[in-house]
């Protein structure tokens, strides 16, 4: 999965990253589904240990163009996981109160505590994406945010938070297909938003904003992964595997009992 990780200061042209990639599985969805089922089980076990261990905090950031599958990842990758230790925080257009504070205020309130996994469905990166594309604040302000975000994430890392960031990378054609599905399928029409079509017209501007974000904010302490996301099953597989690798690298342990409990009699 390392090939999807963005290196420090790497120049990014998203056209060179294949959104259709299914790598080793060569489109063998059936084989992949068995593998995904084993990942789901593994993730469940690791999360149980992570929660019990309670020494670490995990923050997972999901970003991507409209229809890229952020909701789908949350539904599928975490389907077997105990909801007790996992929380989703979604970031929409800031409320009046949020807008009257600095842009990281609402973000900081949602970061994970010990033993907790928090998934950001959109994030502080909107403040260098939609905000940059639409110039919602002056350039003098948003241009400082890359470094501010790096420092903010560094502080979280130094305080014990592991951070993984995923860009769900879909092609413009795939987005068209998904928007058509949303328009035509009565079970998906509630998600159809005409404003998404206006954002689609700004595809190139968003692409540029994403590339700059990836170049400037993939750090040792909070790396970005560019996930091929045209095939939903492969997207889930990549994300599942990166999270599992990350959890395995923490050296999780179930806490030991404070005394020899085996000798305690239970009547
Ligand atoms: P979804 O995440 O499912 O697409 P919505 O359709 O409600 O949910 O979209 C959320 C919207 O909020 C997006 O258009 C996103 O760009 C916008 N948004 C999120 N954060 C900010 C921000 N900091 N400033 C302006 N708009 C934002």
């Amino acid at each position: 999965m390392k090939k999807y990780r963005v290196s420090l200061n790497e120049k990014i042209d998203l056209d060179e990253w294949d959104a259709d990639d299914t790598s080793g599985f060569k489109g063998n969805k059936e084989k992949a589904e068995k593998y995904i089922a084993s990942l789901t089980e593994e993730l469940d076990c690791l999360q149980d240990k992570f929660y019990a261990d309670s020494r670490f905090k995990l923050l997972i950031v999901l970003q991507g163009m409209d229809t890229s599958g952020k909701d789908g990842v949350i539904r599928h990758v975490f389907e077997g996981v105990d909801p007790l230790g996992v929380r989703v925080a979604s970031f929409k257009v800031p409320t009046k109160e949020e807008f009257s504070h600095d842009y990281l205020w609402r973000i900081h309130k949602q970061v994970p505590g010990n033993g907790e996994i928090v998934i950001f469905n959109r994030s502080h990166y909107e403040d260098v994406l939609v905000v940059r594309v639409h110039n919602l604040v002056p350039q003098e302000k948003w241009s400082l945010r890359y470094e501010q975000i790096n420092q903010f994430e560094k502080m979280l890392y130094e305080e014990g938070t592991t951070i993984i960031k995923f860009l769900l990378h879909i092609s413009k054609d795939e987005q068209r297909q998904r928007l058509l599905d949303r328009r035509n399928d009565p079970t998906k029409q509630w998600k159809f938003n005409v404003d998404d079509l206006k954002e689609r017209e700004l595809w190139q501007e968003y692409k540029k904003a994403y590339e700059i974000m990836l170049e400037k904010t993939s750090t040792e302490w909070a790396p970005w992964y560019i996930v091929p996301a045209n095939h939903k099953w492969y997207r889930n597989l990549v994300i599942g595997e990166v999270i599992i690798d990350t959890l395995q690298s923490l050296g999780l342990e179930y806490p030991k009992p404070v005394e020899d409990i085996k000798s305690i009699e239970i009547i």
Side-chain angles (χ1 to χ4, degrees):
M1 293 301 145
K2 286 215 174 73
K3 67 176 173 171
Y4 301 125
R5 185 177 163 144
V6 178
S7 311
L8 223 59
N9 299 319
E10 183 176 348
K11 278 264 154 245
I12 300 291
D13 176 354
L14 282 172
D15 289 336
E16 289 170 5
W17 293 70
D18 182 11
D20 265 318
D21 183 18
T22 56
S23 260
F25 289 90
K26 298 261 178 287
N28 188 340
K29 198 173 159 186
E30 218 170 279
K31 189 170 149 208
E33 270 166 1
K34 276 200 191 125
Y35 182 60
I36 293 171
S38 71
L39 289 182
T40 305
E41 249 175 66
E42 173 90 42
L43 188 58
D44 186 24
C45 293
L46 281 164
Q47 189 264 334
D48 188 64
K49 212 170 185 185
F50 182 85
Y51 183 69
D53 184 313
S54 202
R55 284 178 298 159
F56 306 99
K57 322 170 216 293
L58 178 62
L59 174 60
I60 296 168
V61 173
L62 299 178
Q63 282 289 161
M65 301 275 202
D66 291 322
T67 76
S68 60
K70 298 180 287 294
D71 294 348
V73 168
I74 294 165
R75 204 169 329 118
H76 295 292
V77 177
F78 294 92
E79 70 185 343
V81 162
D82 185 348
L84 213 55
V86 180
R87 182 162 56 83
V88 178
S90 297
F91 296 97
K92 312 257 181 197
V93 176
T95 61
K96 213 169 158 206
E97 191 192 18
E98 287 169 346
F99 202 65
S100 75
H101 290 80
D102 67 87
Y103 68 101
L104 291 174
W105 180 74
R106 65 174 182 163
I107 305 293
H108 203 172
K109 284 201 289 191
Q110 298 286 356
V111 301
N114 281 342
E116 202 179 17
I117 298 178
V118 173
I119 306 155
F120 277 5
N121 183 359
R122 301 186 188 269
S123 64
H124 41 305
Y125 285 100
E126 292 291 325
D127 294 285
V128 289
L129 291 166
V130 64
V131 168
R132 178 185 171 123
V133 169
H134 289 281
N135 253 308
L136 299 179
V137 304
Q139 178 168 4
E140 303 89 84
K141 270 191 159 183
W142 61 247
S143 60
L144 297 175
R145 291 183 173 175
Y146 301 95
E147 191 47 30
Q148 291 166 349
I149 288 173
N150 286 343
Q151 290 309 317
F152 170 67
E153 291 179 347
K154 189 166 192 215
M155 180 279 291
L156 294 178
Y157 168 76
E158 286 168 350
E159 290 288 319
T161 307
T162 301
I163 306 172
I164 336 173
K165 304 181 296 203
F166 295 107
L167 166 65
L168 311 185
H169 176 42
I170 55 166
S171 62
K172 197 174 176 194
D173 282 349
E174 179 63 22
Q175 189 190 53
R176 179 167 183 275
Q177 209 44 57
R178 292 184 186 187
L179 287 169
L180 283 171
D181 277 358
R182 277 189 187 177
R183 191 195 64 183
N184 298 338
D185 179 346
T187 67
K188 293 184 182 161
Q189 280 165 352
W190 63 276
K191 278 190 165 192
F192 190 82
N193 179 352
V194 277
D195 287 344
D196 290 352
L197 303 182
K198 288 198 206 111
E199 296 309 286
R200 178 173 162 79
E201 284 173 26
L202 297 169
W203 184 274
Q204 283 307 322
E205 287 81 351
Y206 271 104
K207 177 173 167 280
K208 193 77 224 150
Y210 270 108
E211 288 168 350
I212 293 166
M213 172 199 83
L214 292 161
E215 284 171 19
K216 288 184 181 277
T217 62
S218 197
T219 54
E220 276 159 62
W221 55 88
W224 275 107
Y225 289 82
I226 301 176
V227 180
N230 275 2
H231 299 279
K232 295 173 183 170
W233 59 271
Y234 191 67
R235 168 201 78 197
N236 295 344
L237 185 152
V238 170
I239 294 180
E241 207 167 305
V242 171
I243 296 172
I244 286 171
D245 283 354
T246 306
L247 289 175
Q248 280 170 340
S249 72
L250 293 176
L252 300 172
E253 306 253 10
Y254 281 107
K256 300 265 180 299
V258 280
E259 53 186 308
D260 176 17
I261 54 171
K262 288 237 169 102
S263 64
I264 298 175
E265 223 178 303
I266 300 174
I267 316 166

